[in-house]
Amino acid sequence: SLFFWGRCLMSLAILGFCLAATLVALFAGKTTIWEAIPPGVSVVLFFVLMCVVGLLEGMQIAFFAVARIPADERGTSVFAKKTCELLFRGRGENLAGFMIGRQLCVVSCMFIVARVTTIEIEEGESNIFGVSDGLQDFFNYGFLGAIFLTIAGSISWQLVASAFPLQFLANPLVYVFLRICLLLEFTGLCQGAWVLAALHKKIAGFQRDEVYIGTAEERRAKSMGD
């Protein structure tokens, strides 16, 4: 509809402005990135970390999507099969482990991205695009980088992964980052999350979905949809 595409154009315009302002600030050395890092390296670091965060966001969506698909219908890709075998091994605890490791990885990336994209104008320096001091103060809060990362480094990846989960898992990097996330979870830094989750389960009386609706194979045998 016209309303939908109108909002798309508005969002793309905002996205373009956020990217332009962030790049101008990076090349001018007007961000909170560490002074020892050259502007060119900062730009590369920004896009690499944005892609890493986007990949992790998409992985989360794709993993839960394929969990509803029977094992023999998860495609023929070697890496998709290896990823699913590792992810759903045993009782599927690696899926929860991935969630913990993924969060650690995303937080680490976001810490650096925040330093890269947060604009900081020193006293006496010119504002980005010559805007007023009030508007520049608004830019300095880091909203421009946050908006760009939300659209280009998060939501867009999630939309692709939700529509094409099997093709998403065919990417070799998915398997590599699954291993990295499980390694981060293995460090035990956030192991307390298991205790809190167990308490939540006990208090709320939660049970696995399979108890209520069966496994993907059982649903297929009974001609039940997802």
Side-chain angles (χ1 to χ4, degrees):
S1 65
L2 184 61
F3 180 60
F4 171 80
W5 289 111
R7 289 182 297 159
C8 288
L9 289 174
M10 177 193 70
S11 181
L12 287 174
I14 294 173
L15 180 68
F17 177 80
C18 291
L19 176 60
T22 300
L23 291 179
V24 167
L26 280 172
F27 281 115
K30 295 180 179 180
T31 70
T32 56
I33 188 66
W34 298 277
E35 294 182 1
I37 300 179
V41 176
S42 299
V43 173
V44 173
L45 191 62
F46 169 59
F47 283 106
V48 169
L49 291 180
M50 182 192 70
C51 290
V52 170
V53 172
L55 182 68
L56 292 169
E57 294 284 356
M59 287 169 63
Q60 175 181 238
I61 300 298
F63 288 169
F64 281 102
V66 298
R68 302 194 305 267
I69 301 175
D72 59 353
E73 294 182 4
R74 289 172 181 163
T76 58
S77 168
V78 174
F79 281 100
K81 288 185 175 181
K82 287 171 66 71
T83 298
C84 291
E85 288 172 2
L86 176 60
L87 191 64
F88 302 115
R89 181 180 299 167
R91 298 181 60 193
E93 292 178 351
N94 279 348
L95 177 57
F98 160 76
M99 296 297 293
I100 295 174
R102 169 201 164 277
Q103 196 62 35
L104 279 170
C105 196
V106 168
V107 169
S108 301
C109 291
M110 293 301 296
F111 172 75
I112 300 175
V113 170
R115 294 295 300 257
V116 173
T117 60
T118 299
I119 298 174
E120 183 179 56
I121 303 295
E122 299 292 342
E123 186 174 351
E125 291 184 339
S126 59
N127 294 338
I128 300 297
F129 299 141
V131 299
S132 65
D133 290 341
L135 186 56
Q136 184 60 59
D137 288 340
F138 176 76
F139 290 168
N140 292 350
Y141 284 117
F143 288 123
L144 299 184
I147 292 173
F148 181 81
L149 189 64
T150 298
I151 299 173
S154 179
I155 298 175
S156 60
W157 291 75
Q158 292 177 0
L159 291 174
V160 171
S162 65
F164 312 103
L166 293 177
Q167 291 91 329
F168 197 90
L169 295 190
N171 185 343
L173 289 177
V174 170
Y175 181 75
V176 172
F177 275 93
L178 172 58
R179 285 286 187 182
I180 293 173
C181 290
L182 291 177
L183 179 62
L184 289 174
E185 188 272 338
F186 183 73
T187 64
L189 185 62
C190 292
Q191 209 71 2
W194 288 99
V195 179
L196 297 178
L199 290 174
H200 191 179
K201 172 189 173 185
K202 187 70 174 179
I203 294 171
F206 290 144
Q207 296 191 68
R208 291 177 176 270
D209 288 346
E210 289 79 3
V211 175
Y212 304 103
I213 63 175
T215 64
E217 289 76 12
E218 291 171 344
R219 294 196 300 276
R220 181 178 60 180
K222 296 177 181 179
S223 300
M224 297 170 60
D226 291 322

